Structure formats: structure tokens, C-alpha cells
Amino acid sequence: MSDPEPCIRVHHAEPLEGEVLVPGAKNSVLKLMAASLLADGTFELTNVPGIADVGIMAELLRAIGVTVTQTPEYGVVQIENRGDLTPVAPLDLVDRIRASINVLGPLLTRCGEVTIAMPGGDDFGARPIDMHIAGLQAMGAHFEFDGGTVIARAGRLRGAEITFDFPSVGATENILTAAVLAEGWTVIHNAAREPEIIDLCEFLNEMGARVNGAGTSTLRIEGVPPGALHGCEHVTVPDRIQAATYIAACAVTRGRLDLLNAQSRHMAMVLSRFGDMGMEIEALPYGLRVAAPNRLRSADVATLPYPGIATDYKPLIITMLTVADGVGVVTENLYPGRFAYVEELQRLGADIKTDGHHALIRGVDRLVGTD
């Protein structure tokens, strides 16, 4: 007799109370791991989340020629780069996480060439890498396309002035990591400003790079000579999306939580919106204290590039609004689609209607269990 299909069973309980530790951000640590391709030496990343994507990125780096040792119980990843790199990212690994595209900039600037399949990962709709390619072309790279494979070549990249049409996180990361070993100055206008971008800038500077303007829309990078970068130790920035997930769980159960390691300065806009919905939020020296003593109030929310409300918060906000008092509208301004979970919330008894980039949520008293 075959084993039953794996599942998680959730039973209604009392309001959530207690404390929980917020680990390092997935959206940072994967990019830090890719950036280790830039330099020979030993890197130690701490506060690393124990998630499958870290293991997949480790496999990808090993395939390229780097030694990776994981100690998940302590949140540590050690990377040893001896410079014997094969600048090819295998399709079977690239297709499993979209962060695999982050090896493009480091391998191109370090090795002068890279072959990589178009990345997989979450289904957010079309996510072209046109801005990555245009920026690297401005720095002297040449691209060929063979089906779903991208082949990039360059001598030493040259600094350039690059302006993005949109503050793309991925494009900012790839141009940034390519620029640290390019000749001369690179200036990125309309750069992404997320905390994870700041974390990457700090990591690169700890390696010996010269990056200025982290956290602003203009990044200025002075390229250093090949071989000038080195290994380092780095603590991964806490995961603001995971922190918000715990806050949403607290909100829908009318609970009270202490979020250890949560950084309120990275979540200012969404915390303000949670406050508008009736949550009590207090910044503490060691994190955040949140409580939802009463039923939430409905609100209208729109996603925007950082420091606006991230699209990753949207499923959490919609879930909170399903049990709030009143009617709220959530507008997606960044990516098409991304409402696939709404049908599942409707199965739980939520009253949600979607129309293009908008979701209208009429709060109900409570949700009900289902498969």
C-alpha cells in the first residue's frame, strides 16, 4: 500500500502568542552566494535560512566549480572559491530557482563569458531579462541566444552610465556585481533600493569593492582590478517578508507576538498600513512587538517599488482583509497576474472578486476549513 499524499493539517486554536525568530532573507542570501563567484577566498555567511533554495544555489555553485558547505542547524554557509570556474549554469539547476540569473553578472565580469539557461522559479508571469542584457551590453558585453539559452561574452567590461526604465531588483544586482570588476566607473540610475540590495552592496564592499549610494536610487561603482577582491564574513539581513507573514498570522488570529530580529526600518510602509488596519505595532531593541486585540479594519492597498508596499506582501494583506470589517481594494502595480491563491481563499469562505490588477475583498466574520 502506497504512502498517503503528504499534507499539512491545521486545526483552529487560540490566538497566536509568544515569540518567533525571523531568519535571514532568501531574497538576499541567494544573491550573496552568487556574488562569491567574484573572488578567490573563503566566504562565511551567517543568519542563513534553512530553505530548499539555499541548497539548490549551493548545487549550482558546485557545478560551476566552487566548494559549498552548509550547516543548516546553525544557519551557516561556507563557500570556498579557488578560481577554477566553469562559467556554465546547468539547465536542470537554473530551471529550479529564478535567483540563478544572479550568476550572470559575476561570471561574465570574472571569466569573460557565461552560458546560462533562462531561469525558472515562481510563476509571476513574464519576467524578461531585457534590462540585465541592455545594461551589460552598455558595458561591452555581447550576447547570443540559442533557444532558451543565453551566451554572453566580453573582454574586461567597461564602466557605463545606465538608466533603468523600472527599478528592477534583478537587473540592479547583475549590473552591480558586474561593475565591481569593470574598468572605470559605473553609475546606475533608477536603481532598486530594497534592503536586500543594501545587503549586497555591503557584502561587496566587505570583499574590497567600491560601491557608493546603497539605499538610494543612484549607485556609483568604481571598478577594482581583477584579483583585488577577497573572501569575507557576512551576516544576512533579516527577512522582511517572513516577518510580515508572522504579523499577518497574528492579525487574523487576533494574537500577540514578539518578532525577534525583525527590522522595522525595512518595513515602514507596510507597518504603517497594518497600523491603519488596527494592529498595535511597537519597535523594540531586539525586533518588533505586534498585537491585534480587535477585528481588523478594511483598507485600500497598492503595490509599488520599494520603499512602497512590495508585491510579496500582497497575499498576506489580502488574507488579512478577508476577515476585516468592511471592503478593501488591493491593486497590483508591479506584475501581471499573481492572484492565483485567491481561488483557494475563496474555498475557505473568503469573499474576493478580481478584475485585472485589482482585487476587491469584502470581509467575513471568519474563514472555514477545507482541503
Side-chain angles (χ1 to χ4, degrees):
M1 184 175 182
S2 61
D3 291 334
E5 183 179 352
C7 68
I8 296 173
R9 288 186 174 87
V10 183
H11 300 274
H12 174 74
E14 299 301 318
L16 295 179
E17 294 185 354
E19 63 181 33
V20 62
L21 178 65
V22 179
K26 178 196 84 165
N27 287 335
S28 186
V29 72
L30 301 178
K31 322 307 176 60
L32 303 178
M33 293 174 70
S36 70
L37 294 168
L38 286 164
D40 290 359
T42 300
F43 300 83
E44 183 172 279
L45 301 176
T46 55
N47 197 32
V48 175
I51 57 174
D53 282 8
V54 171
I56 297 171
M57 181 60 80
E59 289 183 56
L60 177 58
L61 295 183
R62 292 185 190 111
I64 293 169
V66 174
T67 300
V68 184
T69 304
Q70 297 175 256
T71 313
E73 61 269 29
Y74 296 110
V76 176
V77 169
Q78 287 188 323
I79 302 168
E80 186 176 357
N81 185 348
R82 298 180 179 177
D84 185 18
L85 305 179
T86 301
V88 177
L91 172 62
D92 61 322
L93 295 174
V94 168
D95 197 45
R96 292 166 65 186
I97 51 170
R98 70 177 187 275
S100 55
I101 194 63
N102 282 82
V103 305
L104 174 61
L107 285 177
L108 181 60
T109 198
R110 175 83 190 273
C111 302
E113 62 178 326
V114 58
T115 300
I116 183 170
M118 289 294 290
D122 297 341
D123 182 12
F124 288 2
R127 295 173 70 96
I129 60 169
D130 293 355
M131 284 191 285
H132 305 235
I133 292 170
L136 292 169
Q137 284 176 327
M139 299 172 71
H142 301 277
F143 285 84
E144 299 174 18
F145 304 92
D146 183 8
T149 301
V150 179
I151 303 167
R153 295 186 177 90
R156 188 181 180 192
L157 293 173
R158 304 182 303 273
E161 195 143 341
I162 297 165
T163 301
F164 291 139
D165 295 334
F166 173 84
S168 162
V169 171
T172 299
E173 290 163 342
N174 260 327
I175 302 305
L176 171 61
T177 51
V180 297
L181 290 178
E183 183 178 0
W185 284 86
T186 299
V187 181
I188 306 174
H189 298 286
N190 201 22
R193 300 165 56 188
E194 276 79 353
E196 296 79 17
I197 295 288
I198 298 173
D199 203 32
L200 178 60
C201 290
E202 292 176 350
F203 180 64
L204 293 170
N205 285 339
E206 289 161 5
M207 293 169 61
R210 299 169 184 168
V211 180
N212 298 287
T216 75
S217 59
T218 302
L219 292 175
R220 292 179 171 84
I221 307 102
E222 182 183 6
V224 300
L229 301 180
H230 51 77
C232 64
E233 298 178 0
H234 184 81
V235 181
T236 310
V237 68
D239 195 321
R240 59 197 169 100
I241 308 302
Q242 190 160 341
T245 305
Y246 294 136
I247 294 173
C250 175
V252 298
T253 64
R254 302 189 193 180
R256 180 179 300 272
L257 293 176
D258 283 358
L259 308 180
L260 309 182
N261 215 22
Q263 302 292 311
S264 59
R265 68 182 187 278
H266 296 162
M267 307 170 64
M269 190 72 72
V270 75
L271 290 181
S272 175
R273 216 71 187 117
F274 289 162
D276 294 341
M277 295 171 70
M279 295 206 69
E280 298 175 357
I281 301 170
E282 179 185 359
L284 304 172
Y286 52 83
L288 280 173
R289 176 168 293 160
V290 297
N294 302 303
R295 187 181 182 187
L296 298 174
R297 299 185 293 267
S298 287
D300 295 341
V301 180
T303 63
L304 288 169
Y306 191 85
I309 293 176
T311 190
D312 291 319
Y313 294 136
K314 189 170 90 267
L316 311 174
I317 293 169
I318 288 179
T319 301
M320 291 165 66
L321 290 171
T322 64
V323 291
D325 183 20
V327 179
V329 176
V330 176
T331 301
E332 173 58 74
N333 289 315
L334 301 179
Y335 298 108
R338 264 207 123 181
F339 285 113
Y341 51 87
V342 163
E343 183 177 343
E344 301 304 317
L345 287 172
Q346 290 168 335
R347 286 162 52 80
L348 291 166
D351 185 350
I352 308 172
K353 294 179 174 61
T354 59
D355 181 11
H357 289 259
H358 308 281
L360 184 145
I361 308 98
R362 190 180 305 276
V364 298
D365 288 337
R366 62 181 298 170
L367 301 178
V368 294
T370 189
D371 290 341

